[in-house]
Amino acid sequence: MEINGTRYKLRSLPTRKVIFLTMEIDLPIEGASVMLVPGLVSMELVVDGVYVRSGKPYTPIGKVPVWGYVLSALNLVQIINGAIGALLGFLGIYLTLRISTAEDIAPPVRILLSVAYLVLSWVAIILIAALLVIGGGYPTYY
């Protein structure tokens, strides 16, 4: 990455992580607080606490409430369910942490959305397991 004529390796920039996920990457630009925030598909640029693309205020990841960490840990348990469970778990951790700091959503709705994702991901894993059992497991080729 090149900033103001200087090349930087993304890994060498200061970051803030929650559990093991990088949630904020500080960019060395004088005169403003600039950071990259990972989104589901791409990185978002935040300048002085405002998303550049949408103009909405950004809440620092350091303001994650306790319930956000608890639900993230419950999502992390999905790892025991194999690759699909791990994918759902990591997605759940990311969504829970982002939703828990979204100040434009009422706190009860934030909790409800996070719990709903957790429940739906576990239901999905159970349904996939049931379909594999009913269908005789993985296909075998003779």
Side-chain angles (χ1 to χ4, degrees), residues 88-102:
L88 290 172
F90 290 133
L91 180 63
I93 291 168
Y94 175 80
L95 291 174
T96 298
L97 295 174
R98 285 289 169 217
I99 290 171
S100 69
T101 59

Side-chain angles (χ1 to χ4, degrees), residues 2-68:
E2 189 170 323
I3 301 172
N4 295 334
T6 306
R7 287 196 168 277
Y8 295 95
K9 290 186 178 181
L10 202 55
R11 293 181 187 171
S12 68
L13 296 173
T15 62
R16 276 176 291 297
K17 296 182 179 193
V18 174
I19 304 176
F20 48 83
L21 298 172
T22 300
M23 301 303 280
E24 297 172 344
I25 302 169
D26 291 325
L27 300 178
I29 297 176
E30 292 184 32
S33 170
V34 182
M35 67 179 81
L36 287 174
V37 178
L40 282 178
V41 179
S42 64
M43 301 289 266
E44 294 279 341
L45 185 63
V46 176
V47 177
D48 292 331
V50 177
Y51 285 105
V52 171
R53 188 180 306 177
S54 67
K56 293 182 179 180
Y58 173 73
T59 304
I61 201 65
K63 293 187 176 181
V64 174
V66 172
W67 64 264

Side-chain angles (χ1 to χ4, degrees), residues 106-130:
V109 176
R110 289 187 241 167
I111 295 170
L112 181 64
L113 287 171
S114 297
V115 169
Y117 176 83
L118 179 65
V119 170
L120 288 175
S121 68
W122 277 98
V123 167
I125 286 294
I126 292 168
L127 286 175
I128 290 169

Side-chain angles (χ1 to χ4, degrees), residues 126-137:
I126 292 168
L127 286 175
I128 290 169
L131 289 173
L132 287 173
V133 169
I134 291 170

